[in-house]
Structure formats: structure tokens, C-alpha cells
Amino acid sequence: MPTNNRSWTVSAQQDVNYRVETTFNILDPANPTLIDGEHGSRRLIVTDTTVDALYGDKIRAYAEANLTEHKILVLPHGESNKRWIAVETVLEAIEAFKLDRRREPVIAIGGGVLTDIVGFACSIYRRNTPFVRVPTTLIGIVDASVGVKTGVNFQTGKNKIGTYFAASRSLLDTSFLATLGARHVSNGLAEILKIALIKDGDLFSLLEEHGASALTGRFQQHSDAEQQIIDRAIAGMLEELEPNLWEQTLERLVDYGHSFSPTVEMKALPELLHGEAVCLDMALTTAIGVHRGLVSAEQARRVFTVMGKLGLPVTHPAMTAENLLEGLADTTRHRNGLQRLPLPVGIGAAVFVNDLTPADIAAALEILATAAQLEGAAA
């Protein structure tokens, strides 16, 4: 009887190549970008009820003009519908369409919730079905569609089930923002502000000077400042993501604003949008930075002022010490037992800490309460 154990170690690398492209008026039937110039092909197109109400006629006209066969699946809109049942609906549509997954990528047209759902479904259908992301929201353009995360919510947890799976192409068209509500523009500006606060002081200055007008004009003025805001946000995000797509390095600057916010967002669902919850997290950690001497009072004032200009909150009833400590505990669990919490250092830099205490959180909440009172008095 053999007594020696044997083992084999397999070491492999996976190449990841995907394209992030900007375009304009992507639903113009004369624009070949959406189908990559493959006129006469077949496509399954997935969108949501909100996008369908606004752009459904254009999507159908585009498909009729450019595709020999197509199917349009419309999913319910919103974070509360980001559940497994939506994934199953997409899988059933892929199967019914008899998709040739080698040549017929699924097209996802919608916000970050929709593209996360479709990406997750494609990642598990025959283990790899290509898809194309077409974000219709600002948060989709600068955040959800430039990385490789997919997923849906599970029980009380945000994005608790999902995969790392790159879209073959992400097509970014700011013309969609013309019909976006102001609150949803603010929602995306929160993720832009994230990049500014932890790594790009020049981007913060752009937001300080031009963010309010970009919000009001929904990025349709096509000014140099607006283009710089979008470009710097995307470039900064990709710069952080590319060397660490699978998050093997757990200290990630792009986790800024995402330590407490998943718990706060889910506690307040459906009241808070994702970017609003992220901004609450950033306001809190800015206040923690003040408490620890990493951020000056003047720098914090500028940060809170810009948040206000961008239509973003700095306080919310769900920001209780109990919820924040629960969020920190959950974050620590999935960061391998350490907090690995990004804190701002001034404006445009950050440091990671592992020693945050309930006292830090209590002090930060007091600072935020004072800031909110001053903001209310100024208004």
C-alpha cells in the first residue's frame, strides 16, 4: 500500500485584454461602433425599464437597421432588483436566443446595476460568454464599466455574489447623460470625487471650479474642463485597477469610500444611491483624517463644500455608530482580517490604516454634525 503522498502545483497566467472606448451618439444607425462594424449579425440586447422608456425606440431602430436578427430583453430597473432572479432571466434569454457565444456578444445598455447583472450572467453561461457594456449613467461611465467586477446582491449584502469578468468592450457615450436626472449625475460625480481625493489633486481643483456647472449641464457643454474631468477620472481608475484586477493586493486606493458604504447603502435601501453612500463614507473618513491630523480643517472645509456643490450628502440617519462599526467589521472580514482602510492625507493622497477605533468614528461623527450645521447656517 503506497505511503508517500504526491502533489502537483499548477502555475498559470490569464491574459486579460479589453477595450474602453469613447464614442458619441452610439445609437445613430449610421454609427457602426455598437456592433463593431459587423452589419448583418445577430445580437441579444439587454436593457432596463428606465432606459427602454427613454431610448427603446432608438435601440430598436438601430437593431432593425444593422442586425439580421435580434432580441431585446428589458429587466426591471433599480438596486432592489439586483438579485439572482435577474441573472436567471438573462441566462434564459441567452439560451432561448441560441446565442453563438464565440461570435455574438451580448450587448448590455444601462446603468451599473444592469451591466453588473448582465456581466455576471455572461461570466457563468458556458463559463465565458463575451458581452459589451454600454453605460447610460455617469457612474457607469467612470466606474462600473471600466473595471472587471460583476455581481448581484445577496440577502442583506451588496454584490455578495459575482465574478471578475471583463467585458470585451466598454463603449462610453456621454450623450446618454442628457436625459439623466441631476441626482444621478451627482451619483456619478461621487466616484469621480473619490479618484480626486485619494490620488489627483488637479482633478479635485477641476471639480471645485467646474463641478457645479458640469452637474447642471449634465456634461453636455462639451467644454475642455468637462472632458478633463471625465478623462482624468477614467485614467485614474484604470491606473489603479490594471495591476490588480483580481484584487490579490488587498490595499486598494479605489476602496476609498467603500469601507462603510456597502452596509450604510443596504441599511438605507432604496433611499440612498450608491454614489451617495460612497460620499457619506468619504465624508466620514475625511472627518477621521481631521481627527487624526491627516487633513487640515481648511482642507476638510473645501472637501465638504465641493460635496455640497456636487449635490452630495455629508450626513444621513443611517450613519449611526452602530451601523458604521458593523460595516467596518464586515469590511475587515473580507480584507483578510485587517482593516486596510484608506484615509485621505490632505487632498490628493492617502494612507492605509489598521487601527481605527470606535473613538475615531465617534469623533468623526461629531465633526460631520458640526459641518452639516455650518452648511445649513450658510444656506
Side-chain angles (χ1 to χ4, degrees), residues 12-31:
Q13 292 183 337
Q14 180 181 1
D15 289 332
V16 177
N17 294 286
Y18 62 97
R19 288 153 56 190
V20 178
E21 310 168 45
T22 59
T23 186
F24 199 71
N25 287 333
I26 197 171
L27 296 179
D28 181 344
N31 187 342

Side-chain angles (χ1 to χ4, degrees), residues 264-275:
V264 171
E265 182 179 351
M266 297 305 289
K267 294 284 187 183
L269 193 70
E271 184 179 344
L272 283 174
L273 298 178
H274 176 70

Side-chain angles (χ1 to χ4, degrees), residues 320-337:
T320 65
E322 181 182 5
N323 286 345
L324 296 173
L325 289 169
E326 179 184 331
L328 182 62
D330 188 58
T331 290
T332 302
R333 277 193 297 273
H334 71 250
R335 291 180 186 167
N336 203 23

Side-chain angles (χ1 to χ4, degrees), residues 71 149 158 184 210 247 251 328-329 363:
K71 167 70 175 175
K149 285 184 176 181
K158 183 172 177 61
H184 288 274
H210 303 285
E247 301 181 357
E251 290 187 347
L328 182 62

Side-chain angles (χ1 to χ4, degrees), residues 287-301:
I288 293 171
V290 172
H291 175 63
R292 289 197 163 198
L294 300 172
V295 177
S296 71
E298 172 59 17
Q299 289 167 331
R301 184 199 63 78

Side-chain angles (χ1 to χ4, degrees), residues 21-352:
E21 310 168 45
T22 59
T23 186
F24 199 71
N25 287 333
I26 197 171
L27 296 179
D28 181 344
N31 187 342
T33 306
L34 184 60
I35 54 171
D36 211 10
E38 295 182 9
H39 292 279
S41 54
R42 301 170 73 247
R43 291 291 187 273
L44 172 64
I45 301 170
V46 187
T47 189
D48 63 41
T49 48
T50 297
V51 175
D52 188 53
L54 292 168
Y55 296 101
D57 290 345
K58 288 187 174 183
I59 293 171
R60 288 167 178 81
Y62 188 97
E64 291 290 342
N66 290 284
L67 301 172
T68 55
E69 185 180 352
H70 69 276
K71 167 70 175 175
I72 297 175
L73 172 65
V74 181
L75 296 179
H77 170 81
E79 186 77 28
S80 59
N81 294 302
K82 195 179 185 183
R83 296 284 172 185
W84 171 256
I85 190 171
V87 178
E88 194 167 11
T89 301
V90 176
L91 293 172
E92 289 169 350
I94 293 173
E95 183 73 10
F97 191 65
K98 306 300 182 188
L99 190 95
D100 181 346
R101 69 185 185 90
R102 303 293 183 187
R103 297 182 297 170
E104 298 169 356
V106 177
I107 296 174
I109 305 176
V113 169
L114 184 281
T115 57
D116 274 2
I117 292 168
V118 176
F120 184 28
C122 288
S123 73
I124 61 177
Y125 184 79
R126 299 185 69 90
R127 301 180 182 87
N128 181 345
T129 296
F131 79 110
V132 175
R133 290 186 198 254
V134 183
T136 58
T137 62
L138 182 57
I139 200 167
I141 288 171
V142 301
D143 184 75
S145 289
V146 300
V148 298
K149 285 184 176 181
T150 76
V152 294
N153 302 332
F154 178 65
Q155 295 184 357
T156 60
K158 183 172 177 61
N159 293 327
K160 280 294 177 74
I161 50 176
T163 57
Y164 297 101
F165 186 67
S168 54
R169 301 162 70 217
S170 289
L171 307 176
L172 314 181
D173 182 355
T174 56
S175 67
F176 283 114
L177 305 183
T179 56
L180 198 64
R183 186 182 176 196
H184 288 274
V185 179
S186 293
N187 191 46
L189 282 164
E191 292 287 359
I192 295 176
L193 180 60
K194 173 186 76 176
I195 296 297
L197 291 178
I198 47 91
K199 67 172 295 168
D200 192 343
D202 289 339
L203 177 56
F204 181 84
S205 296
L206 283 166
L207 290 172
E208 200 169 32
E209 186 173 353
H210 303 285
S213 62
L215 169 61
T216 302
R218 292 168 171 78
F219 285 88
Q220 300 304 298
Q221 300 172 61
H222 309 299
S223 65
D224 180 62
E226 287 183 352
Q227 194 61 56
Q228 283 191 63
I229 288 171
I230 296 286
D231 288 351
R232 293 187 79 98
I234 293 171
M237 189 72 168
L238 287 172
E239 188 177 88
E240 292 300 317
L241 292 177
E242 186 174 16
N244 192 29
L245 281 177
W246 287 275
E247 301 181 357
Q248 291 170 328
T249 299
L250 296 179
E251 290 187 347
R252 305 168 68 245
L253 285 179
V254 291
D255 278 340
Y256 185 58
H258 293 74
S259 298
F260 304 95
S261 62
T263 297
V264 171
E265 182 179 351
M266 297 305 289
K267 294 284 187 183
L269 193 70
E271 184 179 344
L272 283 174
L273 298 178
H274 176 70
E276 293 169 340
V278 168
C279 190
L280 290 169
D281 188 315
M282 295 190 297
L284 178 76
T285 47
T286 296
I288 293 171
V290 172
H291 175 63
R292 289 197 163 198
L294 300 172
V295 177
S296 71
E298 172 59 17
Q299 289 167 331
R301 184 199 63 78
R302 289 175 64 197
V303 170
F304 296 147
T305 298
V306 168
M307 288 174 174
K309 286 182 178 180
L310 301 183
L312 292 165
V314 298
T315 60
H316 186 274
M319 292 277 284
T320 65
E322 181 182 5
N323 286 345
L324 296 173
L325 289 169
E326 179 184 331
L328 182 62
D330 188 58
T331 290
T332 302
R333 277 193 297 273
H334 71 250
R335 291 180 186 167
N336 203 23
L338 293 176
Q339 293 174 354
R340 305 180 202 270
L341 183 78
L343 288 180
V345 176
I347 295 173
V351 65
F352 292 93

